[in-house]
Amino acid sequence: MAAQDNRSVERLLLHFRPALDKLAESLSSLPEFTNAPYDTDDLFLLRYLLSGSVSPTNPSSSSNLEELPPLPTPEALKKAEGTVRQAVAFRAQNAGWMAPARSPMGVAPHSDKLAKHLVGSHHGYAKDESPIYVVRSAHTSAKQLWSTGATVEQVTEWATFRKEALFWKCDEITRRTGRITKCIYVIDLKGGSIVQDIRGGRAFG
């Protein structure tokens, strides 16, 4: 790893230290944060800060791979706090079906009904270990999906679980390698259609 790699966790934690301290203090009285059954440490908070600033993994953000993202403005820091509050509260409220996503063996809810109609899965890793997730539109049948009696809520839970599993996979790789890791999400439209059932739009956002 290059000494000045802008994806270096050590370097980013040092760079964002004042903002991380403020963010942690603002969340210190939130039970869902302080008592969460997963790490809500500086690295956890760093990932939320980065999602609201210029990404160190986005090639278009800078041509200089040593350049660090800008420090968050007070408004951006407040936004990050709100996002963390919503995220930890949602995980706590839906722990029954979301918690298994932290395990490599976790199975998304309603998979027995939905999985064969929603063709999206983990397809290996890039050279930097970023997980690659591919959705193949041509093999996803909205008509067959809804004919099973699936509800928008069930599809939303299934999709949310898959994203949550990727979140924690990226977390594991980040902690192991010492470099910020993000998922590469590919939507393969070959042979598919961009026309979407309104229920699918509601379920997938």
Side-chain angles (χ1 to χ4, degrees), residues 28 54 149:
S28 61
V54 179

Side-chain angles (χ1 to χ4, degrees), residues 29 32 44 52 63 89 132 135 171 173 202:
S29 61
E32 293 92 341
F44 178 84
S63 59
I132 301 173
V135 176
D171 184 79
I173 297 172
R202 288 168 57 198

Side-chain angles (χ1 to χ4, degrees), residues 41-96:
D41 55 8
D42 287 340
L43 179 53
F44 178 84
L45 295 178
L46 175 64
R47 295 178 67 197
Y48 281 92
L49 280 180
L50 289 174
S51 69
S53 68
V54 179
S55 169
T57 60
N58 182 357
S60 65
S61 67
S62 172
S63 59
N64 183 358
L65 295 179
E66 295 185 0
E67 184 177 337
L68 290 168
L71 293 173
T73 63
E75 292 77 16
L77 193 58
K78 192 67 178 178
K79 181 179 179 181
E81 178 190 342
T83 302
V84 174
R85 286 180 176 273
Q86 291 176 359
V88 296
F90 186 83
R91 288 184 176 111
Q93 293 163 6
N94 298 280

Side-chain angles (χ1 to χ4, degrees), residues 6 26 33 56 84 100 161 174:
N6 74 352
S26 69
F33 178 77
V84 174
F161 182 98
T174 296

Side-chain angles (χ1 to χ4, degrees), residues 11-192:
R11 191 168 177 232
L12 288 165
L13 288 175
L14 181 63
H15 177 65
F16 282 100
R17 173 50 53 201
L20 288 168
D21 289 344
K22 289 180 181 178
L23 185 55
E25 182 179 2
S26 69
L27 296 164
S28 61
S29 61
L30 183 65
E32 293 92 341
F33 178 77
T34 57
N35 300 326
Y38 47 84
D39 286 329
T40 54
D41 55 8
D42 287 340
L43 179 53
F44 178 84
L45 295 178
L46 175 64
R47 295 178 67 197
Y48 281 92
L49 280 180
L50 289 174
S51 69
S53 68
V54 179
S55 169
T57 60
N58 182 357
S60 65
S61 67
S62 172
S63 59
N64 183 358
L65 295 179
E66 295 185 0
E67 184 177 337
L68 290 168
L71 293 173
T73 63
E75 292 77 16
L77 193 58
K78 192 67 178 178
K79 181 179 179 181
E81 178 190 342
T83 302
V84 174
R85 286 180 176 273
Q86 291 176 359
V88 296
F90 186 83
R91 288 184 176 111
Q93 293 163 6
N94 298 280
W97 58 267
M98 283 194 72
R102 299 197 296 273
S103 167
M105 303 303 292
V107 178
H110 321 297
S111 288
D112 56 335
K113 178 187 293 186
L114 308 180
K116 64 181 179 180
H117 302 298
L118 296 170
V119 184
S121 61
H122 178 211
H123 276 252
Y125 300 90
K127 289 184 178 180
D128 64 355
E129 292 198 54
S130 298
I132 301 173
Y133 191 89
V134 179
V135 176
R136 302 192 185 282
S137 298
H139 301 287
T140 297
S141 173
K143 183 177 180 179
Q144 292 180 17
L145 168 66
W146 300 117
S147 70
T148 66
T151 66
V152 170
E153 290 73 20
Q154 289 175 335
V155 176
T156 299
E157 288 182 1
W158 184 90
T160 301
F161 182 98
R162 301 298 288 267
K163 293 177 182 178
E164 180 75 350
L166 288 169
F167 177 93
W168 292 113
K169 183 60 181 176
C170 288
D171 184 79
E172 181 275 320
I173 297 172
T174 296
R175 293 177 187 278
R176 174 166 50 80
T177 64
R179 301 181 77 231
I180 290 294
T181 300
K182 293 187 176 182
C183 178
I184 300 171
Y185 205 89
V186 179
I187 300 179
D188 181 5
L189 293 175
K190 183 178 180 180

